[in-house]
Structures are given as structure tokens and as C-alpha cells.
Amino acid sequence: MIKYHPAPDIEARAKNIAERTGIKHDFSRIKFLRSTGSQSRYTLARCHAMPRVMQAALDLKAHYVIEVISEKFDKMNEEEQTKTIIHELMHVPKSMGGGFRYHDHVCKRNVEKLYTQLKGTI
């Protein structure tokens, strides 16, 4: 059974990454969780969005959840963790309208570009 826990450490890292790379998301609408118990073989992290029908029914703006899968993510080195956080942040569109940026944009080349930019601000 999957269990979810708040991940303030991931949130702090994501905000730092965003600030240093120019990602301008409204972090009051992004929550960060660490999950345990996932049976996923290859997934390191996931980005979830609130379905538009829920947004309409609850009269809310879109919200996102970035979930890191503890069994995989926590074993990675800091560089790979950072790239994973960048990857998940890139799935959230600038408009934060409830959709996703897909892997045509969220790809290794673009993640590496932002990671290189991040390293240059150290």
C-alpha cells in the first residue's frame, strides 16, 4: 500500500532550483510528497494535476503535486535527484492551468540545459 508524507525538503530544493533557473511557478499551488510502498519499477517521481472537473466543481485554480518515490529517489545521488526535480517542475506549464507539459518539451536535453544553468549559479 502506498503511503504519502509531506516532503518539505523537496519543496525547499524545488523553490531554490526555480529561483536560480527562472522557473516562475506559483508554489502555493504545488505540493510536494514523498511516497513509500510503490510497486513501480522505473518511476522515480511523478507530477499530478487536479482534473479540470474537480477544479470547476470546487471553484479552485489548478493545483499540482510533485511526488518523489522514496525507494528510488532517496537512493540517487544529489545530481540525479536535482535533475529529477527539474524534470518534474518542467511538467507544470507556465500558465498553471491544469494541464501538463509533455515529454516533447520535458526531455533530457532541456533538463540538462536547466541543470547546466543551475550549476552556473553556484
Side-chain angles (χ1 to χ4, degrees):
M1 183 164 87
I2 298 177
K3 294 186 180 183
Y4 300 99
H5 313 279
D9 57 321
I10 304 301
E11 180 175 6
R13 288 176 68 181
K15 287 178 177 178
N16 181 273
I17 289 166
E19 182 180 313
R20 293 170 48 204
T21 59
I23 295 173
K24 300 200 182 316
H25 291 328
D26 176 358
F27 280 89
S28 71
R29 294 171 40 206
I30 304 175
K31 301 301 178 197
F32 295 84
L33 297 175
R34 179 176 271 107
S35 65
T36 56
S38 173
Q39 297 297 312
S40 173
R41 286 186 174 199
Y42 305 109
T43 305
L44 307 171
R46 297 185 259 247
C47 183
H48 305 271
M50 179 185 290
R52 290 193 179 165
V53 68
M54 295 296 289
Q55 294 172 44
L58 299 172
D59 194 28
L60 294 172
K61 291 183 177 182
H63 284 71
Y64 294 84
V65 175
I66 293 178
E67 168 197 0
V68 297
I69 298 171
S70 181
E71 291 86 350
K72 303 278 194 305
F73 183 86
D74 292 341
K75 291 178 182 176
M76 297 185 330
N77 65 44
E78 185 176 348
E79 177 179 326
E80 290 304 313
Q81 286 181 353
T82 299
K83 288 178 182 180
T84 300
I85 293 168
I86 290 169
H87 179 103
E88 297 309 322
L89 285 172
M90 289 177 71
H91 277 299
V92 180
K94 291 177 185 177
S95 67
M96 293 189 75
F100 281 105
R101 297 294 307 259
Y102 292 100
H103 286 111
D104 60 337
H105 172 73
V106 183
C107 61
K108 186 173 184 170
R109 184 184 82 241
N110 290 338
V111 169
E112 289 292 337
K113 187 187 301 185
L114 280 181
Y115 183 72
T116 300
Q117 181 182 341
L118 181 69
K119 282 177 39 178
T121 63
I122 295 173

PDB file of all heavy atoms in Angstrom, residues 14-23 114 117-122:
ATOM      1  N   ALA A  14      13.139  22.442  -4.653  1.00  0.00           N
ATOM      2  CA  ALA A  14      12.433  22.860  -5.871  1.00  0.00           C
ATOM      3  C   ALA A  14      12.348  24.382  -5.953  1.00  0.00           C
ATOM      4  O   ALA A  14      12.568  24.963  -7.028  1.00  0.00           O
ATOM      5  CB  ALA A  14      11.039  22.239  -5.913  1.00  0.00           C
ATOM      6  N   LYS A  15      12.049  25.033  -4.848  1.00  0.00           N
ATOM      7  CA  LYS A  15      11.982  26.504  -4.846  1.00  0.00           C
ATOM      8  C   LYS A  15      13.348  27.107  -5.156  1.00  0.00           C
ATOM      9  O   LYS A  15      13.449  28.084  -5.906  1.00  0.00           O
ATOM     10  CB  LYS A  15      11.464  27.010  -3.499  1.00  0.00           C
ATOM     11  CG  LYS A  15       9.983  26.767  -3.294  1.00  0.00           C
ATOM     12  CD  LYS A  15       9.537  27.243  -1.929  1.00  0.00           C
ATOM     13  CE  LYS A  15       8.056  27.073  -1.720  1.00  0.00           C
ATOM     14  NZ  LYS A  15       7.624  27.500  -0.376  1.00  0.00           N
ATOM     15  N   ASN A  16      14.398  26.529  -4.596  1.00  0.00           N
ATOM     16  CA  ASN A  16      15.757  27.007  -4.863  1.00  0.00           C
ATOM     17  C   ASN A  16      16.106  26.826  -6.339  1.00  0.00           C
ATOM     18  O   ASN A  16      16.665  27.733  -6.973  1.00  0.00           O
ATOM     19  CB  ASN A  16      16.747  26.271  -3.961  1.00  0.00           C
ATOM     20  CG  ASN A  16      18.158  26.732  -4.162  1.00  0.00           C
ATOM     21  OD1 ASN A  16      18.871  26.220  -5.028  1.00  0.00           O
ATOM     22  ND2 ASN A  16      18.579  27.702  -3.368  1.00  0.00           N
ATOM     23  N   ILE A  17      15.786  25.673  -6.887  1.00  0.00           N
ATOM     24  CA  ILE A  17      16.031  25.400  -8.303  1.00  0.00           C
ATOM     25  C   ILE A  17      15.272  26.400  -9.168  1.00  0.00           C
ATOM     26  O   ILE A  17      15.824  26.978 -10.110  1.00  0.00           O
ATOM     27  CB  ILE A  17      15.627  23.950  -8.656  1.00  0.00           C
ATOM     28  CG1 ILE A  17      16.606  22.959  -8.028  1.00  0.00           C
ATOM     29  CG2 ILE A  17      15.524  23.757 -10.161  1.00  0.00           C
ATOM     30  CD1 ILE A  17      16.121  21.514  -8.026  1.00  0.00           C
ATOM     31  N   ALA A  18      14.004  26.600  -8.867  1.00  0.00           N
ATOM     32  CA  ALA A  18      13.173  27.514  -9.655  1.00  0.00           C
ATOM     33  C   ALA A  18      13.730  28.930  -9.617  1.00  0.00           C
ATOM     34  O   ALA A  18      13.811  29.603 -10.659  1.00  0.00           O
ATOM     35  CB  ALA A  18      11.733  27.486  -9.141  1.00  0.00           C
ATOM     36  N   GLU A  19      14.106  29.375  -8.453  1.00  0.00           N
ATOM     37  CA  GLU A  19      14.644  30.733  -8.305  1.00  0.00           C
ATOM     38  C   GLU A  19      15.913  30.904  -9.140  1.00  0.00           C
ATOM     39  O   GLU A  19      16.106  31.925  -9.787  1.00  0.00           O
ATOM     40  CB  GLU A  19      14.939  31.007  -6.829  1.00  0.00           C
ATOM     41  CG  GLU A  19      15.454  32.400  -6.558  1.00  0.00           C
ATOM     42  CD  GLU A  19      15.717  32.616  -5.078  1.00  0.00           C
ATOM     43  OE1 GLU A  19      14.842  32.270  -4.270  1.00  0.00           O
ATOM     44  OE2 GLU A  19      16.801  33.133  -4.753  1.00  0.00           O
ATOM     45  N   ARG A  20      16.757  29.894  -9.131  1.00  0.00           N
ATOM     46  CA  ARG A  20      18.056  30.001  -9.798  1.00  0.00           C
ATOM     47  C   ARG A  20      17.994  29.710 -11.295  1.00  0.00           C
ATOM     48  O   ARG A  20      18.947  30.009 -12.012  1.00  0.00           O
ATOM     49  CB  ARG A  20      19.055  29.081  -9.108  1.00  0.00           C
ATOM     50  CG  ARG A  20      19.337  29.588  -7.680  1.00  0.00           C
ATOM     51  CD  ARG A  20      20.124  28.650  -6.814  1.00  0.00           C
ATOM     52  NE  ARG A  20      21.309  28.118  -7.460  1.00  0.00           N
ATOM     53  CZ  ARG A  20      21.885  26.973  -7.114  1.00  0.00           C
ATOM     54  NH1 ARG A  20      21.383  26.253  -6.131  1.00  0.00           N
ATOM     55  NH2 ARG A  20      22.963  26.559  -7.737  1.00  0.00           N
ATOM     56  N   THR A  21      16.911  29.143 -11.777  1.00  0.00           N
ATOM     57  CA  THR A  21      16.792  28.835 -13.201  1.00  0.00           C
ATOM     58  C   THR A  21      15.729  29.665 -13.910  1.00  0.00           C
ATOM     59  O   THR A  21      15.538  29.525 -15.116  1.00  0.00           O
ATOM     60  CB  THR A  21      16.473  27.347 -13.427  1.00  0.00           C
ATOM     61  OG1 THR A  21      15.244  27.033 -12.760  1.00  0.00           O
ATOM     62  CG2 THR A  21      17.601  26.449 -12.943  1.00  0.00           C
ATOM     63  N   GLY A  22      15.009  30.497 -13.179  1.00  0.00           N
ATOM     64  CA  GLY A  22      13.996  31.341 -13.800  1.00  0.00           C
ATOM     65  C   GLY A  22      12.642  30.676 -13.986  1.00  0.00           C
ATOM     66  O   GLY A  22      11.785  31.215 -14.685  1.00  0.00           O
ATOM     67  N   ILE A  23      12.425  29.530 -13.364  1.00  0.00           N
ATOM     68  CA  ILE A  23      11.098  28.900 -13.401  1.00  0.00           C
ATOM     69  C   ILE A  23      10.205  29.708 -12.469  1.00  0.00           C
ATOM     70  O   ILE A  23      10.498  29.872 -11.305  1.00  0.00           O
ATOM     71  CB  ILE A  23      11.170  27.424 -12.950  1.00  0.00           C
ATOM     72  CG1 ILE A  23      12.006  26.607 -13.938  1.00  0.00           C
ATOM     73  CG2 ILE A  23       9.768  26.841 -12.813  1.00  0.00           C
ATOM     74  CD1 ILE A  23      12.273  25.173 -13.491  1.00  0.00           C
ATOM     75  N   LEU A 114      18.794  23.212 -18.209  1.00  0.00           N
ATOM     76  CA  LEU A 114      18.486  23.883 -16.940  1.00  0.00           C
ATOM     77  C   LEU A 114      19.462  23.491 -15.845  1.00  0.00           C
ATOM     78  O   LEU A 114      19.846  24.323 -15.017  1.00  0.00           O
ATOM     79  CB  LEU A 114      17.050  23.589 -16.495  1.00  0.00           C
ATOM     80  CG  LEU A 114      15.962  24.412 -17.171  1.00  0.00           C
ATOM     81  CD1 LEU A 114      14.589  24.038 -16.611  1.00  0.00           C
ATOM     82  CD2 LEU A 114      16.188  25.897 -17.014  1.00  0.00           C
ATOM     83  N   GLN A 117      22.545  25.480 -16.341  1.00  0.00           N
ATOM     84  CA  GLN A 117      22.269  26.842 -15.877  1.00  0.00           C
ATOM     85  C   GLN A 117      22.320  26.905 -14.344  1.00  0.00           C
ATOM     86  O   GLN A 117      22.898  27.827 -13.781  1.00  0.00           O
ATOM     87  CB  GLN A 117      20.896  27.288 -16.388  1.00  0.00           C
ATOM     88  CG  GLN A 117      20.501  28.687 -15.991  1.00  0.00           C
ATOM     89  CD  GLN A 117      19.111  29.038 -16.497  1.00  0.00           C
ATOM     90  OE1 GLN A 117      18.580  28.409 -17.417  1.00  0.00           O
ATOM     91  NE2 GLN A 117      18.514  30.043 -15.913  1.00  0.00           N
ATOM     92  N   LEU A 118      21.729  25.920 -13.700  1.00  0.00           N
ATOM     93  CA  LEU A 118      21.727  25.858 -12.231  1.00  0.00           C
ATOM     94  C   LEU A 118      23.140  25.781 -11.697  1.00  0.00           C
ATOM     95  O   LEU A 118      23.501  26.486 -10.754  1.00  0.00           O
ATOM     96  CB  LEU A 118      20.905  24.656 -11.784  1.00  0.00           C
ATOM     97  CG  LEU A 118      20.767  24.420 -10.289  1.00  0.00           C
ATOM     98  CD1 LEU A 118      19.910  25.500  -9.659  1.00  0.00           C
ATOM     99  CD2 LEU A 118      20.170  23.054 -10.022  1.00  0.00           C
ATOM    100  N   LYS A 119      23.974  24.935 -12.279  1.00  0.00           N
ATOM    101  CA  LYS A 119      25.347  24.794 -11.832  1.00  0.00           C
ATOM    102  C   LYS A 119      26.134  26.096 -11.991  1.00  0.00           C
ATOM    103  O   LYS A 119      27.011  26.398 -11.186  1.00  0.00           O
ATOM    104  CB  LYS A 119      26.054  23.666 -12.600  1.00  0.00           C
ATOM    105  CG  LYS A 119      25.677  22.299 -12.108  1.00  0.00           C
ATOM    106  CD  LYS A 119      26.301  21.164 -12.884  1.00  0.00           C
ATOM    107  CE  LYS A 119      27.719  21.399 -13.302  1.00  0.00           C
ATOM    108  NZ  LYS A 119      28.311  20.270 -14.017  1.00  0.00           N
ATOM    109  N   GLY A 120      25.780  26.869 -13.004  1.00  0.00           N
ATOM    110  CA  GLY A 120      26.449  28.139 -13.237  1.00  0.00           C
ATOM    111  C   GLY A 120      26.118  29.207 -12.228  1.00  0.00           C
ATOM    112  O   GLY A 120      26.815  30.232 -12.130  1.00  0.00           O
ATOM    113  N   THR A 121      25.066  28.992 -11.422  1.00  0.00           N
ATOM    114  CA  THR A 121      24.669  29.992 -10.427  1.00  0.00           C
ATOM    115  C   THR A 121      25.197  29.667  -9.033  1.00  0.00           C
ATOM    116  O   THR A 121      24.887  30.357  -8.080  1.00  0.00           O
ATOM    117  CB  THR A 121      23.126  30.128 -10.343  1.00  0.00           C
ATOM    118  OG1 THR A 121      22.569  28.884  -9.912  1.00  0.00           O
ATOM    119  CG2 THR A 121      22.544  30.528 -11.681  1.00  0.00           C
ATOM    120  N   ILE A 122      25.984  28.614  -8.937  1.00  0.00           N
ATOM    121  CA  ILE A 122      26.506  28.194  -7.627  1.00  0.00           C
ATOM    122  C   ILE A 122      27.595  29.128  -7.185  1.00  0.00           C
ATOM    123  O   ILE A 122      28.405  29.584  -7.911  1.00  0.00           O
ATOM    124  CB  ILE A 122      27.002  26.732  -7.664  1.00  0.00           C
ATOM    125  CG1 ILE A 122      25.834  25.803  -7.915  1.00  0.00           C
ATOM    126  CG2 ILE A 122      27.706  26.353  -6.372  1.00  0.00           C
ATOM    127  CD1 ILE A 122      26.190  24.351  -8.134  1.00  0.00           C
TER     128      ILE A 122
END
